[in-house]
Amino acid sequence: MVAIDRDRAAAREASMLGEHLLTVAGIYGPNASGKTNVLLAMKWLSDAIRDSMRMWDNEIPVECFAFDDAWSCPTEFIIELLIDGVRFEYAIELDRKQIHYEGLFHYPEKKRRRIFERTGLDLTLQRGLGDLAGTRQLLTPRTSALAAAHRFDEPLVSGFADALLAIQLKGTVQEAVPSLLGLFGAGQTNQWFDAEGSGSASRNSGSHEDFEKDRQRALELLRLADLGIEDVVFTEESRLSASETEPDSWMIKLILPTRRPRLTHRTSTGPTPLEFTGESSGTRNWYQMIGPLLDTLRSGSILVLDEIDASLHPTLSAQLLQLFHDPATNPLGAQLIFTTHDTNLLNHLNRDEVWFTEKASTGATRLGALAEFAGERVRKSQNLETAYLHGRFGALPDIDRADLLRALGLIA
């Protein structure tokens, strides 16, 4: 997400890097070309910090390349983040049985310095980080050193680990029961509207006036989806459990939220609340997006959206991009990374904000930037949507029409 065209507000200067960074990146490509896997790799890293110490006792949950016999070959993840203006680099190499290598580095004076590095169970720490010495006692072949070191209050490690944990992945890759998605998926947004709900106390630790300002911001965003919405109200409901009538049952309990949102609409008879499940799918999706969106903008973190066009109307998608582009609404340089098939959004993206995935003959995915693919041949003034649909950049479905017609029996 390094800018080529620096002469615009959306390109944020990173003085320690000598570069300008982008706040938006859109990934295009045919179905099954690997767009979602790019996002899942980021989520995997975030989950690794959260789960390795408590869930990786028997096996590391890494998926090997499906079209290769070499299941024992290590998988490598590398990510670079800018934290408080300083570049951090993290790498981990592992297979299902063990972590072979792991390292965290930073560039406080534009020179690479090691924070920690491990090969197998051999851990080396940067001099002066004695507080992390206990990390060695927590290491196992399947325990991430970053996850272990995060348990100690060392700002260098905690700052980076917290940035990874703050990455939010939303969209079609989320697994949920469809009929309950609107209820469970709305929890993060509810905290912006409901001062009494679960989890709201920790988020709304400021004054009542601060909460009301936040609530008004969230309400204005909600009205982008439906101008008839006036407010959000909450109803109290008892918790339901599948095993309440059978206390000794081993059946998994299904617990519904005790406070459920209802959107109040302006009607000819006055304000009327509507059950959340009765709202259009577009309105529900946008409501669920508001919490993660505002949290990301407030913290300057990363929001990752899979198939943005499947969740939002094109107009709302364009509004979302503008919120991240504009320094007034995104003063901390929060970043939005999304996959999409919506070519209309190319009209709202700069040439250095567009990425493509293509599937190679081996079945592997190649991710490449439009700027790398076409360089200066892509003019600033060029209509990216038209050029893409005409196949100038590749990353389009390759359909053999003759084979299709033959399979349908329309030609011999």
Side-chain angles (χ1 to χ4, degrees):
M1 298 181 74
V2 175
I4 289 179
D5 303 317
R6 302 182 175 190
D7 55 342
R8 66 191 206 278
R12 311 297 178 89
E13 183 179 6
S15 57
M16 290 284 287
L17 290 180
E19 300 282 2
H20 285 62
L21 300 182
L22 302 171
T23 56
V24 172
I27 303 174
Y28 286 80
N31 287 331
S33 63
K35 298 187 299 296
T36 298
N37 276 342
V38 175
L39 307 187
L40 288 177
M42 298 180 66
K43 183 178 186 297
W44 191 96
L45 278 175
S46 181
D47 289 346
I49 308 307
R50 185 180 297 107
D51 299 337
S52 80
M53 293 198 67
R54 57 190 182 93
M55 298 179 64
W56 289 9
D57 290 339
N58 300 317
E59 185 177 78
I60 298 174
V62 61
E63 282 192 53
C64 299
F65 182 46
F67 304 120
D68 193 348
D69 293 332
W71 281 80
S72 61
C73 289
T75 297
E76 184 179 18
F77 296 85
I78 301 174
I79 188 168
E80 295 188 19
L81 297 175
L82 197 70
I83 302 173
D84 295 330
V86 178
R87 172 187 171 191
F88 282 72
E89 175 189 333
Y90 175 68
I92 186 169
E93 184 179 334
L94 43 73
D95 56 32
R96 292 184 173 183
K97 295 181 179 180
Q98 63 181 320
I99 297 172
H100 298 281
Y101 173 84
E102 188 177 4
L104 178 62
F105 305 86
H106 65 150
Y107 296 74
E109 298 172 351
K110 299 185 179 181
K111 293 182 179 180
R112 192 173 192 249
R113 294 186 62 187
R114 177 174 60 196
I115 298 174
F116 71 75
E117 197 170 11
R118 63 94 65 91
T119 302
L121 293 178
D122 183 17
L123 177 67
T124 303
L125 298 172
Q126 174 184 314
R127 185 175 301 174
L129 297 183
D131 290 342
L132 296 180
T135 303
R136 292 187 176 91
Q137 281 68 52
L138 297 177
L139 279 191
T140 72
R142 286 178 291 276
T143 299
S144 160
L146 180 58
H150 188 221
R151 294 200 167 192
F152 302 92
D153 191 19
E154 168 50 55
L156 276 180
V157 172
S158 297
F160 178 82
D162 289 343
L164 272 184
L165 290 169
I167 295 175
Q168 301 192 70
L169 175 62
K170 303 294 179 182
T172 59
V173 298
Q174 289 178 293
E175 296 180 4
V177 181
S179 61
L180 298 177
L181 181 60
L183 298 177
F184 292 132
Q188 196 170 346
T189 297
N190 292 346
Q191 296 176 20
W192 285 82
F193 288 103
D194 184 15
E196 301 177 22
S198 174
S200 295
S202 58
R203 200 200 70 78
N204 303 319
S205 56
S207 65
H208 175 73
E209 290 76 14
D210 289 338
F211 172 74
E212 287 301 322
K213 290 179 181 177
D214 286 348
R215 192 179 193 280
Q216 189 60 36
R217 293 187 187 102
L219 189 57
E220 291 302 324
L221 283 177
L222 180 58
R223 288 170 177 160
L224 291 176
D226 185 340
L227 295 178
I229 295 175
E230 287 196 343
D231 203 353
V232 180
V233 296
F234 290 82
T235 55
E236 289 279 356
E237 293 190 4
S238 300
R239 290 180 178 268
L240 303 177
S241 171
S243 61
E244 279 182 354
T245 57
E246 301 177 73
D248 298 328
S249 172
W250 53 266
M251 185 181 298
I252 296 175
K253 293 183 179 181
L254 177 62
I255 301 176
L256 299 179
T258 56
R259 294 177 64 81
R260 299 174 64 176
R262 302 172 75 193
L263 309 189
T264 302
H265 292 258
R266 184 172 57 252
T267 69
S268 58
T269 58
T272 303
L274 180 66
E275 286 291 341
F276 191 72
T277 52
E279 298 287 350
S280 70
S281 61
T283 299
R284 292 199 306 269
N285 288 336
W286 182 242
Y287 182 89
Q288 294 168 41
M289 194 77 68
I290 289 173
L293 168 61
L294 290 175
D295 285 339
T296 299
L297 292 174
R298 169 165 288 181
S299 63
S301 53
I302 301 171
L303 179 61
V304 181
L305 297 181
D306 188 39
E307 297 192 22
I308 189 174
D309 48 308
S311 302
L312 302 177
H313 187 276
T315 302
L316 287 177
S317 298
Q319 290 277 4
L320 184 59
L321 267 60
Q322 181 58 29
L323 288 172
F324 279 84
H325 278 146
D326 190 346
T329 51
N330 184 15
L332 298 182
Q335 292 175 307
L336 171 67
I337 303 172
F338 65 92
T339 67
T340 184
H341 294 287
D342 184 1
T343 58
N344 178 66
L345 288 180
L346 287 167
N347 299 317
H348 301 276
L349 293 170
N350 196 67
R351 59 179 179 172
D352 51 8
E353 296 173 328
V354 180
W355 292 74
F356 297 123
T357 55
E358 288 190 303
K359 183 187 288 187
S361 58
T362 60
T365 294
R366 177 187 179 274
L367 173 69
L370 171 60
E372 295 173 351
F373 173 81
E376 292 301 319
R377 289 182 295 151
V378 182
R379 302 183 305 276
K380 289 185 184 181
S381 59
Q382 184 167 359
N383 187 311
L384 296 182
E385 181 182 20
T386 300
Y388 175 65
L389 291 176
H390 281 80
R392 282 201 57 194
F393 310 139
L396 286 173
D398 185 11
I399 301 173
D400 190 322
R401 184 168 175 78
D403 284 349
L404 175 63
L405 294 176
R406 191 175 295 111
L408 294 173
L410 300 178
I411 62 174

